[in-house]
Amino acid sequence: MLIIVLLLLTGYVDFLHASVDCEAVALSDCLPSEFFPVPFPETEAEVDFVCLKLKVYVDCIRNYLEECGNEDASFEEQLKARYEKIDEVLNDVCEKESKLHIDFIGNIKCLKSSILSHNDSCYYKTEAVLKIYKQRFPEQTEHINKNGIYWDEYFCLFEAYDISCLAADAANRCGLQAKNIILEIVKRLNYLEYSCSEEARVELMNLIETLNFEVQDKIQLKEIFNIFN
Ligand SMILES: *[C@@H]1O[C@H](CO)[C@@H](O)[C@H](O)[C@H]1NC(C)=O
């Protein structure tokens, strides 16, 4: 669920770029301050509560997207598509009869601990992976800044590894089903497609074996990139 919340907030930030006029209205209307950050639910009843709030939030944003209008139509379409996906996955996580909901509830306490320790578990590992990636450049950081040619790849690796690390941690702590829940949500939201261009992904797939990553990290990365297929 925190993943969903994080994604929502990420989407929200994008949304703020969509239109300045929308920003003020959406801030006050869609995101009531007493609601965020959402505490991670631990029980079915808490899930119901959070689901209700999130649905209202997502509906509100979708309505604004309908009404706002924007000069950049393709960006707007992209945002709408993203929220449509968020809405679908959210409904599935919240729907009592769905497999995703049942699996989620069955793993909720352990998933919570994995997600809440995400930074502690993955921060240094992610740093280490990015450092190895950078070492392939003779003049190190020069190419890797926001305008550099390798930024897309670097950013993609960062996001992909970070998620793969969370999934691996969930597998260790909670078991395979917990990992699969995370991967399913990531896949269905097209989450990585926002961080990874096709070129960056293909190039990284080719690089994984040649870079000096740990074996486990290579396996994790391949698995996460395979989600796209
Ligand atoms: C994540 O962990 C690192 C290392 O312990 C720390 O420096 C950083 O502030 C943490 N970030 C967050 C968002 O907690």
Side-chain angles (χ1 to χ4, degrees), residues 174-189:
C174 323
L176 211 54
Q177 196 175 56
K179 173 175 124 174
N180 288 338
I181 291 169
I182 291 173
L183 294 183
E184 183 179 340
I185 291 175
V186 168
K187 182 182 169 109
R188 287 178 51 187
L189 290 175

Side-chain angles (χ1 to χ4, degrees), residues 36-217:
F36 281 97
V38 183
F40 197 101
E42 269 197 18
T43 63
E44 177 105 40
E46 285 172 12
V47 170
D48 291 347
F49 177 79
V50 173
C51 276
L52 204 69
K53 295 283 189 184
L54 284 177
K55 279 182 192 170
V56 171
Y57 176 55
V58 173
D59 279 351
C60 176
I61 289 183
R62 292 184 79 195
N63 284 335
Y64 274 112
L65 288 176
E66 285 304 325
E67 286 165 16
C68 273
N70 193 311
E71 305 92 78
D72 187 350
S74 70
F75 180 66
E76 192 179 300
E77 285 312 310
Q78 205 184 327
L79 275 181
K80 281 184 187 166
R82 179 188 295 199
Y83 276 94
E84 201 174 308
K85 289 219 156 32
I86 289 175
D87 190 49
E88 279 168 24
V89 175
L90 186 60
N91 282 331
D92 209 14
V93 172
C94 297
E95 168 61 50
K96 304 266 181 220
E97 266 95 58
S98 87
K99 177 168 167 18
L100 190 55
H101 176 84
I102 294 162
D103 290 351
F104 183 69
I105 296 291
N107 288 276
I108 196 160
K109 287 208 171 127
C110 192
L111 271 174
K112 177 177 180 173
S113 83
S114 182
I115 288 170
L116 293 186
S117 343
H118 179 201
N119 189 55
D120 291 342
S121 320
C122 296
Y123 185 86
Y124 291 110
K125 286 185 185 175
T126 306
E127 293 263 283
V129 162
L130 291 174
K131 191 170 165 206
I132 290 170
Y133 171 81
K134 277 192 199 168
Q135 278 164 359
R136 80 189 181 97
F137 302 103
E139 325 89 26
Q140 297 237 345
T141 51
E142 208 161 275
H143 295 292
I144 309 172
N145 60 53
K146 281 220 166 191
N147 302 313
I149 44 175
Y150 293 107
W151 174 254
D152 278 1
E153 237 173 83
Y154 182 80
F155 183 64
C156 172
L157 179 62
F158 169 70
E159 290 279 343
Y161 185 80
D162 191 52
I163 288 285
S164 81
C165 180
L166 174 66
D169 181 73
N172 289 337
R173 266 176 220 255
C174 323
L176 211 54
Q177 196 175 56
K179 173 175 124 174
N180 288 338
I181 291 169
I182 291 173
L183 294 183
E184 183 179 340
I185 291 175
V186 168
K187 182 182 169 109
R188 287 178 51 187
L189 290 175
N190 285 355
Y191 179 68
L192 284 175
E193 277 163 40
Y194 300 107
S195 322
C196 295
S197 66
E198 168 130 24
E199 294 83 3
R201 184 160 46 90
V202 170
E203 183 59 21
L204 283 169
M205 270 298 247
N206 292 331
L207 278 175
I208 288 173
E209 278 307 329
T210 64
L211 292 177
N212 202 17
F213 297 140
E214 289 185 19
V215 175
Q216 176 59 34
D217 290 338

